[in-house]
Amino acid sequence: MTDRYRLTFSSASVLLLLGALPSPVPASTESLREDVSFLASEALEGRLTGTEGEAQAHVYLVSRLEKVGVRSLPGLEGLSHSFDFTAGTNDGGSVLTLKAEGVSEQWTGTDKFQALSLSDSGTVSGEVVFAGYGLVLPESATFGYDSYATLDVDGKIVLALRYFPEDVEQETRAELSRYSGLRYRAMQARERGAKALVLVTGPNSPNAGETIAMSFDSAIAGSGLIAGSISGEVADRLFDFVADKSLAEAQTALDGGNPHITGFEMPGIELTLDVKVEREHRVGHNIVGVLPRTGDGDIDKPYVMLGAHYDHLGRGGGGNSLARKDEVGGIHYGADDNASGVAAVLDIVERLASRERQRDLLVALWSGEELGVLGSNAFIDSATVTTDQVAAYVNFDMVGRSRDNKLALRAMGSSTIWPRLVEQANVPVGLDLTVGEDPYLPTDTLALNQAEVPSLDFFTGSHEDYHRPTDTADLINYEDLDRIAQLGSAVTSKLLNLDSAPDFVKVQPKTNTGGDRDSVRAFTGTIPDYTTEVEGLLLSGVIEGGPADDAGIQGGDIIVEFAGQTITNIYDYTYALDAVKVDMPVTVVLLRDGERTEVTVTPRARE
Amino acid sequence: MRSYRSAVALLATLTPLFASPLASDEGPSESDFLSRTRRLTFEGRRAGEGYFSPDGRQMVFQSEREAGNPFYQIYRLDLTTGDTERISPGHGKTTCPFIQPGTGAVEFASTHHDSRSLELQQQELDFRASGEERRYAWDYDPEMDIYVTEAGDARRLTDARGYDAEGSYSPDGQWIVFSSMRDAYNRELTAEEAAKLETDPSYFGEIYIMRADGSGQTRLTDVPGYDGGPFFFPDGSRIIWRRFDEEGLTANVFSMNPDGSDVRQLTDFGSMSWAPYVHPSGEYVFFASNKLGFGNFEIFIVDTAGTKEPVQVTYTDGFDGLPVPTPDGKQLAWTSTRHGRDGGQIYLGQWNHEAAMVALAAAPARNSE
């Protein structure tokens, strides 16, 4: 990847200014390089939200913006906008007590009983109902499945299996897996009046018998429910008091997916859950400010918002790191993700400072993006500036790895204005643009789109160093980053001076999911290339040592079929991945140099 | 629309089967001649036929991009700023713009004088709203006449019944060559010809020349089958165009003197070879052909005399056609569906003239008659 990139770099600079068109403005690559190098330096330790590294970046960026003339927003002091978030959850010593037939037993220790990270703290007691997999499909699903259909769980404690029936057809798996996320399941139990939810990983499932690790959950509050997971051993003990069934038998009966196999009450058992969830609260800091307009007329929607997140993964402890074994714990420099986007925004603000502006330019450098788009959501919720005052939002997230002059512009479906505006802005800049409609992107664009602000998202694609300590400043393509900033500045300038604000178009989401990371278990280690539109899933690379790598899949391959399902885009791939079983080999059809090739991939469990 | 016959247009709107980004290490590829390729137009359903001003700073093109009109209108794009303005009247169908050297005026073909033009727009919009799918077809509207922009208005240059379009200026700006189907309307047709007019009016297409003010309209060709898409050589010495056979199934590139004499054939693929345009060096001609597959048009170059086998330029499935070089010869604009959706858009890439000369010199002699 590195070598190929360098080759592109040198040829790009030679070819850049050929032709009849006048040359663009003088390169500001040095300033881009300085910004990226500082933000991605060792001293900032990966800019994890709420840490000293974030604070140092904050000071630097505030000073950069103030120099250009960016001022405080009304109601804020300085350029800082802070928000609370949960930096992590721990089990603070939860206890499970069983009373049955005169017996009383207690379990402590997270290998036997552990709070779910979404749980509230508190103590509840009650009778127990075994609710199978505890899954409910909405009416919109292609078939009916409701674990609670024949059960009354009001005021009781629900015991359920983790994941979803193991032996069903692939299409059924895909549908079920979409609604098997922990939060969704907790909500279903709570809505039926359950006092608590207890999950066990059944003996037929991956990670059999293990309690569920407290995954990172950045939500500031719990789910309004007491919830925990128990070991297989503890579950077996509970089933000792069920006359005719073991847990294994109960699971096996359910694994065929027959929706008429129901759960059952477990009479004579009373459980007491004393759950202690410790949430570490921290404060994250957005940087927001305004470059005031030069005009003084009334205008429809007086703000245009320009944004990029400046936080990253620190040393990768939060669960989003893709560090290889020998890189674990290293600084995740985050040069592309997203020092590159921040540098682009700074550059654009500098370019626009000397131009005419009929609207205020609202500059937002977000924190908390890597923890779940926290900063931008918190800013929207704060109503410091209400989103109905914002004409449009332009986002930069990972724009430093352009190859062959390519840039992806996404979320184009959010307004009818984008094709014209993008066409005009890019004619003199000359980037090789790929356009995408979908605004439901894993970046701050998502938050602004949900607030119904027309949004445009700049992105140069994923790569091998994504979320690894190897995402470093020396690998950034500064020449193309400069031109990307030039395009961003042209787009933003046009938005600032439009007479009427762009319309907002609500794009229908392609997925309706009650799942979360827990529901997608299969891991293949493929890295999609988002910048090139092809039929199928083009890969920019594979994760070394992952299942795809083991199968001989390479960057540049296009997946056109996965486990018998035709793949035309990344959504097809996500569904197909939902549907496969861990450790069960599947056939993958690839196009490599135009030739169809079949390989066998064995997905692994996502850790 | 320059030289889109209906059959060609059908194919041009098919989604390409596959737009492979993989460059193979061996063998010829697009990167031999083209680099920094990028899509130029994004707005609207379709855009195409981009032609440059002599200084290379402007491009005129046709695009379907305004609500209320499902047909092409003509736009002028300032390549230095990206600003675009519509220069045709806004209603009716238009096609085939070309900038007049010296004045900057733009000739194009239009039906806006037709009293039915708004009605026809609504019919097409209603048809689309009905959810039915019809492939795009160019209908050789007999109302189509050639206009030139003048002080924010359009002045009519031709008024013969029958499609007049596909015009382009001579390098000195004094002449316009164009294609006309007026021969189908200005005389008594045989029964056979009348039947032909019902099914394929383009059969009557012939090349004409006139002064830039519309005077002196003179016919240059007289061969059954569609003659169209004429352009002057860069030095004005000859005209390049393409001629379909009587059945309209295959086409080849020809050149002739501006008085219609000395006709020479440059290609003989036995497929649809059309949309020729001479490189500013005068050394070779760009054209598009579906030689490699009925729905797969690629751009080729051939030496101006047509003595050698053509050399393939593009290698992307789907439609690549209507090639037009910039006046300095260093870039190539063309219409392509390589972005993977229905409807062509204009692309622009750096053109390697030196590599083209080398490849043409190495090309084998054409096995001609």
Side-chain angles (χ1 to χ4, degrees), chain A residues 527-541:
Chain A
I527 305 172
D529 178 341
Y530 296 93
T531 57
T532 309
E533 208 162 303
V534 301
E535 193 143 326
L537 183 76
L538 173 65
L539 302 179
S540 67

Side-chain angles (χ1 to χ4, degrees), chain A residues 6-192:
Chain A
R6 289 204 173 115
L7 188 67
T8 308
F9 192 99
S10 53
S11 52
S13 47
V14 174
L15 292 167
L16 186 59
L17 299 175
L18 293 178
L21 305 181
S23 2
V25 299
S28 46
T29 55
E30 268 323 299
S31 142
L32 291 165
R33 191 187 299 271
E34 273 172 32
D35 288 334
V36 171
S37 301
F38 178 79
L39 292 169
S41 64
E42 225 159 293
L44 271 61
E45 287 201 80
R47 311 182 304 280
L48 183 64
T49 306
T51 65
E52 177 57 26
E54 184 214 43
Q56 281 194 38
H58 189 274
V59 170
Y60 174 84
L61 294 169
V62 166
S63 143
R64 288 278 281 118
L65 288 174
E66 282 176 345
K67 262 183 216 153
V68 194
V70 173
R71 303 181 197 160
S72 305
L73 281 168
L76 288 183
E77 274 184 40
L79 302 187
S80 194
H81 171 262
S82 54
F83 57 94
D84 294 331
F85 69 102
T86 304
T89 49
N90 286 301
D91 189 299
S94 299
V95 182
L96 178 71
T97 309
L98 162 71
K99 282 188 182 138
E101 298 173 12
V103 182
S104 177
E105 289 182 42
Q106 254 190 9
W107 293 279
T108 58
T110 54
D111 58 333
K112 299 190 181 64
F113 177 56
Q114 178 161 240
L116 295 186
S117 52
L118 56 82
S119 177
D120 285 356
S121 289
T123 306
V124 290
S125 300
E127 296 170 27
V128 181
V129 176
F130 176 70
Y133 275 95
L135 294 174
V136 181
L137 263 59
E139 281 178 16
S140 60
T142 54
F143 61 95
Y145 195 98
D146 182 354
S147 297
Y148 297 99
T150 60
L151 300 175
D152 176 12
V153 299
D154 191 20
K156 296 174 186 164
I157 291 170
V158 169
L159 173 64
L161 291 157
R162 188 187 185 185
Y163 302 133
F164 45 88
E166 292 290 334
D167 300 330
V168 295
E169 296 290 310
Q170 286 205 339
E171 269 176 44
T172 310
R173 291 175 72 81
E175 190 95 33
L176 288 171
S177 85
R178 232 169 287 161
Y179 298 99
S180 65
L182 297 179
R183 271 204 176 256
Y184 184 74
R185 289 216 263 204
M187 187 184 81
Q188 296 298 337
R190 191 190 63 210
E191 280 181 5
R192 283 162 180 77

Side-chain angles (χ1 to χ4, degrees), chain A residues 12 15-16 18-22 404-405 412 419-420 422-424 426-433 435-437 480 483 494 532-536 538 556-558 560 591-594, chain B residues 15-24 35-44 55-57 61 65 77-84 326 328 330-331 338-341 345 348 350:
Chain A
L15 292 167
L16 186 59
L18 293 178
L21 305 181
D404 303 334
N405 196 34
M412 296 267 291
R420 175 183 321 155
V422 162
E423 177 181 301
Q424 285 184 0
N426 190 52
V427 162
V429 179
L431 287 159
D432 181 7
L433 299 181
V435 293
E437 304 277 300
D480 280 356
R483 293 187 319 124
K494 286 176 196 300
T532 309
E533 208 162 303
V534 301
E535 193 143 326
L538 173 65
D557 288 351
I558 298 163
V560 293
L591 284 176
R592 179 178 296 166
D593 301 329
Chain B
T15 307
L17 301 172
F18 198 77
S20 170
L22 302 172
S24 77
S35 58
R36 304 295 272 190
T37 295
R38 52 138 165 164
R39 181 173 162 184
L40 195 64
T41 56
F42 290 86
E43 193 185 355
D55 64 3
R57 299 174 80 87
F61 64 99
R65 52 171 59 189
L77 167 62
D78 184 329
L79 291 162
T80 63
T81 63
D83 291 338
T84 296
T326 49
D328 65 3
K330 292 179 179 171
Q331 299 185 74
R338 58 184 59 204
H339 44 278
R341 300 214 176 86
Q345 297 285 347
L348 189 64
Q350 301 291 340

Side-chain angles (χ1 to χ4, degrees), chain B residues 205-228:
Chain B
E206 299 296 344
I207 305 295
Y208 287 71
I209 190 166
M210 63 182 172
R211 293 193 175 275
D213 63 3
S215 67
Q217 299 180 16
T218 308
R219 180 167 170 173
L220 299 182
T221 59
D222 190 9
V223 174
Y226 182 16
D227 290 291

